[in-house]
Amino acid sequence: MNSITPAAAHTGLKVGFYRHSCPQVEAIVYNSMAQSTKADDTVAPGILRMAFHDCFVRVRDRLDLQHPSQLDRVAELALRRLFRLCGFFSGCDASVLLEGPNTERRARTNTGLHGFDAIDAAKRAVENACPGVVSAADVLQFAARDAVVLAGGYGWHVPAGRRDGTVSIMEEALNLPAPSMTVSQLIDVFGRKGLSPSQMVVLSGAHTIGKAPCVTFDDRVQTTPVDPTLAPSFATFLKGQCPYAAIQSTSVDMDSTAHTFDSQYFKDIIAGRGLLTSDQSLLYDSRTSGGVYANNGAAFYRNFAKAMVKMSQIEVLTGLDGEIRRQFDQVNSH
């Protein structure tokens, strides 16, 4: 397996975090994921999307902490810690896994998420070997890496040591990147999470596996005329698959090799066969077009691995913050 080693990890995270406390954890998760993806080929794209949605829950705008002039560094760090404890910050903390009537899982933007059974199976297998040691947040990040590997991509060394969040709020999932977003909107959303335009482009390459329901690209094909950036033959194909608006029961492959993690996504965009507005638009903006061409080949695998490491460090809980869930979708009842 090809793998990428991160240049540096978020404070509190490190590669090999469980080397002594649960040395077999990554093998356990991989073997569990191998079984799950063999039984259901939608699991790999489902888990990858789940990891994105977990990390991209928005930061509440209680205070602008992006400008150090407002606060001295000590006060800023103290406030960030307090806000994490109160649930104001939410990043890669497995909050998307929590079950309940008003949790992130119930948000409209998360209704299509799937693969929870695979994470449940992996977490249970880890708990059997190392009870109360490995967080659900780390299991999810290991599983996302394994999903890519099992679909044909490169692996990466996952910095671990995340703790699990205890807060999951449905409304907090409403600022996730949307399929109809413009490049400017995407750059803003990713930038708020500390990700650059080039990292946004390469992470969009996750769309190289999986499917999307017709309703997510209505803005391109259910118009008169259809989106002119669509290749004519592709527009005809999509109209045949999705003959009228608001179809949710029919899905279309995200790229022309949708079961294999490869750079075909970028090749398709260059050919006018990007499925979503947020995909095809990357080619026509000077801030992102270079990234489309740069990832149109073998470089994509390494670039994606590095970007996933960066994304997996967004607003994590470490040390004594949060908890180590015993069950993947439930807060511990102490």
Side-chain angles (χ1 to χ4, degrees):
M1 177 186 78
N2 290 298
S3 62
I4 307 300
T5 300
H10 179 284
T11 301
L13 301 181
K14 67 178 182 180
V15 173
F17 182 86
Y18 298 107
R19 182 173 290 117
H20 301 295
S21 58
C22 190
Q24 68 274 46
V25 59
E26 295 189 53
I28 292 171
V29 174
Y30 180 86
N31 290 335
S32 181
M33 280 293 294
Q35 293 178 16
S36 293
T37 56
K38 184 177 181 180
D40 180 355
D41 63 6
T42 70
V43 165
I47 296 300
L48 193 52
R49 184 177 177 222
M50 192 184 299
F52 274 85
H53 284 220
D54 186 43
C55 294
F56 264 81
V57 172
R58 70 183 175 93
V59 180
R60 291 189 187 178
D61 298 324
R62 292 291 189 268
L63 182 65
D64 182 358
L65 297 179
Q66 302 303 313
H67 304 287
S69 59
Q70 290 188 7
L71 302 165
D72 65 62
R73 183 60 176 160
V74 174
E76 178 183 348
L77 292 174
L79 278 171
R80 281 187 178 275
R81 178 173 172 80
L82 175 62
F83 280 19
R84 283 193 198 97
L85 292 173
C86 295
F88 290 170
F89 288 143
S90 183
C92 308
D93 65 351
S95 56
V96 75
L97 302 179
L98 287 174
E99 182 61 278
N102 295 302
T103 60
E104 293 168 34
R105 286 174 69 166
R106 297 293 167 257
R108 174 180 50 80
T109 49
N110 284 334
T111 53
L113 283 185
H114 65 282
F116 292 104
D117 288 347
I119 297 299
D120 186 21
K123 174 63 170 167
R124 287 178 184 273
V126 170
E127 284 295 305
N128 287 338
C130 311
V133 173
V134 181
S135 66
D138 278 343
V139 169
L140 178 55
Q141 292 302 322
F142 290 142
R145 182 265 316 274
D146 296 341
V148 170
V149 172
L150 289 162
Y154 283 14
W156 55 91
H157 296 292
V158 177
R162 294 166 193 78
R163 305 268 292 182
D164 294 322
T166 58
V167 176
S168 183
I169 302 171
M170 181 169 62
E171 290 77 14
E172 293 293 293
L174 299 180
N175 203 39
L176 288 160
S180 60
M181 277 188 173
T182 65
V183 170
S184 291
Q185 289 171 323
L186 290 170
I187 287 174
D188 179 63
V189 170
F190 278 75
R192 289 175 182 272
K193 290 298 186 180
L195 297 167
S196 69
S198 62
Q199 289 168 329
M200 180 270 286
V201 172
V202 73
L203 288 170
S204 297
H207 290 172
T208 187
I209 54 175
K211 296 175 177 286
C214 294
V215 67
T216 59
F217 49 90
D218 274 354
D219 61 320
R220 306 194 70 201
V221 298
Q222 303 303 333
T223 58
T224 303
V226 299
D227 185 337
T229 65
L230 282 167
S233 61
F234 191 49
T236 299
F237 168 76
L238 293 178
K239 287 288 285 185
Q241 296 295 306
C242 310
Y244 53 89
I247 297 175
Q248 300 193 49
S249 58
T250 300
S251 294
V252 175
D253 288 346
M254 298 283 291
D255 78 4
S256 51
T257 59
H259 297 288
T260 303
F261 193 94
D262 56 21
S263 60
Q264 187 64 42
Y265 167 81
F266 296 101
K267 293 179 173 64
D268 284 352
I269 289 176
I270 293 167
R273 297 176 62 87
L275 185 62
L276 308 176
T277 293
S278 59
D279 297 326
Q280 192 62 48
S281 297
L282 299 176
L283 185 65
Y284 302 112
D285 191 293
S286 61
R287 295 168 292 179
T288 53
S289 58
V292 172
Y293 289 103
N295 288 289
N296 177 31
F300 167 59
Y301 298 98
R302 292 186 179 276
N303 292 341
F304 186 82
K306 291 176 183 177
M308 282 294 291
V309 170
K310 178 71 181 292
M311 187 192 74
S312 75
Q313 299 170 4
I314 293 172
E315 294 294 350
V316 296
L317 301 174
T318 59
L320 298 178
D321 293 342
E323 64 179 13
I324 303 296
R325 282 183 216 151
R326 290 184 288 272
Q327 188 173 328
F328 90 107
D329 61 350
Q330 300 293 327
V331 173
N332 295 338
S333 53
H334 299 284

